């Protein structure tokens, strides 16, 4: 298990998101969630490489914005 991540934005509450692979949208990765306007993820063993996550925020004026987050996961131990 890798370190947990919490993302909060200055652009408003995170209300939804997806994982982007190439040009396709996929559900958020296993082990992630959106609660109380924040994105949480604890990548599990076997997660390796780059992960492009798009979160959608909503501000007080009901404007939404897409924010791209790139996670670069590397093995802790190289043999």
């Amino acid at each position: 298990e890798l370190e947990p991540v919490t993302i909060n934005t200055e652009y408003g509450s995170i209300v939804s998101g997806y994982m982007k692979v190439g040009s396709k949208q996929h559900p958020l990765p296993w082990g992630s969630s959106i609660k109380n306007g924040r994105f949480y993820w604890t990548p599990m063993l076997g997660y390796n490489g780059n992960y492009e996550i798009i979160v959608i925020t909503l501000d007080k004026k009901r404007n939404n914005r897409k924010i791209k987050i790139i996670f670069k996961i590397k093995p802790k131990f190289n043999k």
Side-chain angles (χ1 to χ4, degrees), residues 48-62:
N48 222 352
N50 296 341
Y51 293 85
E52 183 176 343
I53 305 296
I54 307 297
V55 294
I56 298 153
T57 63
L58 190 63
D59 67 18
K60 292 178 182 177
K61 294 181 181 179
R62 311 285 300 161

Side-chain angles (χ1 to χ4, degrees), residues 1 6 17 24 29 33 38-39 42 50 52 54 58-59 63 72-75:
E1 193 171 284
T6 302
K24 296 186 179 184
S33 63
R38 293 184 173 103
F39 172 79
T42 303
N50 296 341
E52 183 176 343
I54 307 297
L58 190 63
D59 67 18
N63 297 313
K72 295 181 179 186
I73 302 175
K74 298 179 182 178

Side-chain angles (χ1 to χ4, degrees), residues 3 7 17-19 25-27 29 31 33 39 41 48 53 61 65 69 73-75:
E3 297 294 321
I7 302 289
Y18 56 89
M19 181 168 57
Q25 293 181 15
H26 294 271
S33 63
F39 172 79
W41 186 26
N48 222 352
I53 305 296
K61 294 181 181 179
R65 176 186 299 231
I69 305 164
I73 302 175
K74 298 179 182 178

Side-chain angles (χ1 to χ4, degrees), residues 22-37:
S23 61
K24 296 186 179 184
Q25 293 181 15
H26 294 271
L28 289 171
W30 192 86
S32 68
S33 63
I34 295 173
K35 295 180 187 170
N36 301 318

